[in-house]
């Protein structure tokens, strides 16, 4: 969907102006992993030469009138009075879209018969097709006291201009601005055809920290919501645990286990069995090194009571998920000095990757596995590092991360609350129905 402007130019190094010289622009598509052609002087037509350089290379001449012509070139540089304006098509990430300029004859010193048969072909100048990863929030809202900022992708898919982007199934609440991200499942499925700001913002509520309402933003309110003190619901020092554990191994039978550690913790792969509630209160960084899952069907007997549901609650200063992990069934609650959740361990000592060493920055092949988190996520800073998804065609909206607030979270919390107390009605007034 991006636009490329190509401005061709020719440099005449000879002592006089050229004779009338043919020129041609070629559009070359180099598939990921293929080699970009180099400059050449050959009698073959430009596209014949460029295609012959190896597999995964295609070449076309852009549509007239801006693709071919003839000119007399004065000594020195000449910018051709044409521009090729191209809208990038729906290519896989890593594809190179290149342009080259060829002229014939290429030199007056060659015998005219030979000169008329030879093309001078430039080295192609290329741009690389990248991707804009997406995030989806299922069965819940996105709330922040800061801003929400994502980037959409607009493509022609199946003959229609379609917008793909990140979205929340329900509402988005922000004290600052909301840009790019859709509410109310705006970009779900195969994207939104002919998207507009209003269509994608029907459940967006933004204040932009302005004392007066601003017409360019929806809503006008001040949110003072704070991250709840989840750890306070599990008082006491708990049981000290080692530097690396698998959560299911912390309990032999169903029950509640509160584990604490002063320092860092690594969570190995675990499938939490029915009836186990594992609460981890860690002062340092928790690194999730393997998939965390819940037993899906109570060992085949199906779940019939909220108390049977397993649940893993991780409370730490920082929570980092390794790049090989694709599923995390857990609460991710980041509190303390950093209060960070990072969806892929980049190895960078800083959170801002633009200032990290080049080998630590993200690429389309780094952190490229999709991640699903089933459970609530609470943090001061949420760093989305996955680069999966965002493919071609209808897969253009595939997410890199999915945060899913499943019903088992509510059912487990309700079962725990009922077991710890009671609800008493002290006064009831019946009122007529409101039509």
């Amino acid at each position: 969907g991006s636009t490329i402007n190509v401005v061709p130019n020719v440099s005449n190094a000879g002592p006089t102006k050229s004779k009338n010289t043919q020129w041609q622009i070629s559009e070359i598509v180099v598939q990921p992993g293929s080699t970009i052609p180099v400059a050449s002087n050959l009698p073959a037509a430009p596209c014949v030469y460029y295609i012959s350089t190896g597999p995964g290379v295609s070449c076309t001449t852009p549509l007239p009138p801006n693709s071919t012509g003839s000119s007399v070139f004065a000594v020195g540089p000449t910018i051709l009075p044409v521009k090729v304006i191209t809208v990038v098509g729906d290519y896989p990430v890593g594809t190179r879209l290149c342009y080259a300029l060829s002229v014939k004859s290429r030199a007056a010193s060659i015998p005219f018969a030979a000169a008329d048969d030879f093309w001078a072909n430039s080295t192609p100048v290329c741009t690389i097709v990248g991707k804009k990863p997406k995030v989806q929030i299922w069965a819940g809202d996105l709330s922040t006291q800061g801003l929400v900022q994502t980037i959409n992708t607009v493509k022609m898919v199946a003959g229609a201009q379609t917008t793909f982007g990140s979205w929340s199934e329900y509402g988005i609440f922000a004290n600052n601005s909301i840009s790019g991200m859709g509410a109310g499942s705006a970009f779900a499925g195969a994207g939104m055809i002919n998207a507009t700001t209003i269509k994608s913002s029907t459940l967006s509520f933004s204040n932009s920290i302005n004392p007066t309402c601003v017409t360019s933003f929806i809503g006008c309110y001040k949110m003072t919501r704070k991250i709840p003190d989840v750890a306070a619901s599990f008082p006491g020092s708990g049981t000290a645990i080692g530097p690396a554990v698998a959560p299911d191994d912390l309990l032999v039978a169903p029950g509640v286990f509160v584990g604490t550690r002063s320092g860092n913790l690594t969570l190995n792969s675990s499938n939490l069995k029915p009836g186990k509630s594992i609460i981890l209160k860690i002062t340092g960084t928790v690194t999730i090194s393997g998939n965390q899952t819940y037993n899906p069907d109570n060992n085949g007997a199906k779940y019939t009571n909220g108390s049977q549901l397993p649940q893993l609650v991780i409370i730490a200063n920082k929570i980092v998920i390794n790049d090989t992990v694709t599923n995390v069934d857990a609460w991710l609650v980041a509190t303390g000095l950093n209060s960070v959740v990072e969806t892929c361990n980049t190895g960078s000592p800083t959170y801002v990757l633009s200032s990290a060493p080049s080998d630590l920055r993200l690429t389309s092949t780094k952190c490229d596995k999709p991640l699903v988190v089933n459970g609530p996520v609470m943090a001061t800073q949420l760093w989305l590092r996955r680069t999966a998804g965002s493919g071609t065609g209808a897969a253009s909206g595939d997410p890199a991360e999915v945060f899913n607030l499943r019903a088992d979270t509510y059912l487990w919390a309700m079962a725990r609350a009922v077991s710890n107390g009671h609800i008493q009605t002290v006064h009831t007034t019946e009122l007529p129905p409101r039509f």
Side-chain angles (χ1 to χ4, degrees):
S2 300
T3 300
I4 296 177
N5 295 328
V6 180
V7 182
N9 66 86
V10 173
S11 180
N12 179 5
T16 63
K17 67 181 180 180
S18 74
K19 65 177 184 178
N20 196 39
T21 303
Q22 282 185 264
W23 57 265
Q24 177 179 317
I25 298 171
S26 300
E27 182 179 271
I28 305 161
V29 178
V30 181
Q31 297 299 323
S34 298
T35 303
I36 299 173
V38 298
S40 73
N41 297 309
L42 291 172
C47 271
V48 173
Y49 158 67
Y50 288 122
I51 292 176
S52 69
T53 57
V57 178
S58 60
C59 177
T60 57
T61 302
L63 294 175
N66 297 332
S67 56
T68 62
S70 61
S71 300
V72 173
F73 297 104
V75 175
T78 299
I79 297 177
L80 293 173
V82 297
K83 288 185 178 181
V84 176
I85 302 176
T86 299
V87 177
V88 179
D90 190 14
Y91 296 110
V93 62
T95 302
R96 288 173 170 83
L97 188 60
C98 311
Y99 292 87
L101 176 63
S102 304
V103 296
K104 185 177 78 167
S105 313
R106 65 183 179 85
S109 61
I110 298 176
F112 286 119
D116 288 340
D117 289 335
F118 275 73
W119 285 91
N121 302 303
S122 75
T123 299
V125 177
C126 306
T127 185
I128 301 177
V129 176
K131 63 163 57 178
K132 300 172 182 176
K134 316 294 190 297
V135 62
Q136 296 176 5
I137 298 173
W138 298 359
D141 299 324
L142 171 63
S143 301
T144 175
Q145 297 200 77
L147 58 81
V148 177
Q149 183 176 2
T150 63
I151 301 176
N152 294 332
T153 303
V154 181
K155 295 181 179 180
M156 290 295 294
V157 175
Q161 182 165 295
T162 306
T163 301
F164 301 90
S166 301
W167 52 269
S168 172
E169 185 171 352
Y170 299 139
I172 302 176
F173 302 85
N175 273 357
N176 208 311
S177 61
I178 301 171
S179 61
M181 189 160 183
S185 304
F187 304 116
M192 177 181 283
I193 297 177
N194 300 322
T196 66
T197 301
I198 297 301
K199 285 182 180 179
S200 61
S201 303
T202 52
L203 289 177
S204 296
F205 302 91
S206 169
N207 192 347
S208 194
I209 312 181
N210 198 307
T212 60
C213 286
V214 180
T215 56
S216 59
F217 298 110
I218 297 175
C220 189
Y221 71 102
K222 182 71 174 178
M223 183 176 66
T224 57
R225 194 179 204 177
K226 301 292 185 182
I227 296 176
D229 188 358
V230 178
S233 298
F234 306 95
S237 57
T239 302
I241 56 179
V245 297
D248 188 66
D249 294 342
L250 296 173
L251 270 181
V252 176
V256 178
F257 178 90
V258 179
T260 60
R261 179 170 174 79
S262 179
N264 300 332
L265 175 68
T266 297
L267 288 186
N268 298 324
S269 296
S270 172
N271 183 271
L272 201 57
K273 293 183 178 62
K276 292 185 179 183
S277 298
I278 307 297
I279 318 300
L280 302 177
K281 299 192 290 185
I282 312 302
T283 62
T285 297
V286 171
T287 300
I288 300 176
S289 65
N291 282 354
Q292 305 297 314
T293 58
Y294 298 151
N295 185 286
D297 60 357
N298 194 12
N299 294 319
K302 308 300 180 185
Y303 288 104
T304 59
N305 190 291
S307 61
Q308 298 172 341
L309 293 168
Q311 208 77 181
L312 172 62
V313 180
I314 304 171
I315 306 168
N317 174 48
K318 181 179 178 182
I319 301 171
V320 180
I321 304 171
N322 281 355
D323 61 346
T324 56
V325 175
T326 58
N327 188 93
V328 176
D329 292 347
W331 296 44
L332 304 183
V333 183
T335 61
L337 181 63
N338 296 123
S339 185
V340 169
V341 171
E342 191 169 19
T343 60
C344 187
N345 191 355
T346 65
S348 173
T350 62
Y351 300 138
V352 182
L353 293 182
S354 59
S355 62
S358 59
D359 62 333
L360 297 179
R361 295 178 185 173
L362 292 174
T363 68
S364 61
T365 57
K366 182 176 182 178
C367 296
D368 61 345
K369 294 179 177 59
L371 172 68
V372 177
V373 176
N374 294 306
V377 177
M378 310 174 199
T380 301
Q381 301 175 76
L382 175 60
W383 295 98
L384 304 176
R385 303 302 200 196
R386 298 288 171 136
T387 62
S390 296
T392 58
S396 298
D398 287 357
E401 291 109 344
V402 171
F403 296 99
N404 183 16
L405 188 56
R406 294 190 312 198
D408 62 290
T409 299
Y410 295 102
L411 293 171
W412 174 83
M414 182 181 70
R416 181 177 175 275
V418 170
S419 66
N420 291 340
H422 64 280
I423 300 174
Q424 180 177 348
T425 302
V426 295
H427 185 76
T428 301
T429 300
E430 291 190 6
L431 298 174
R434 178 183 178 186
F435 294 98

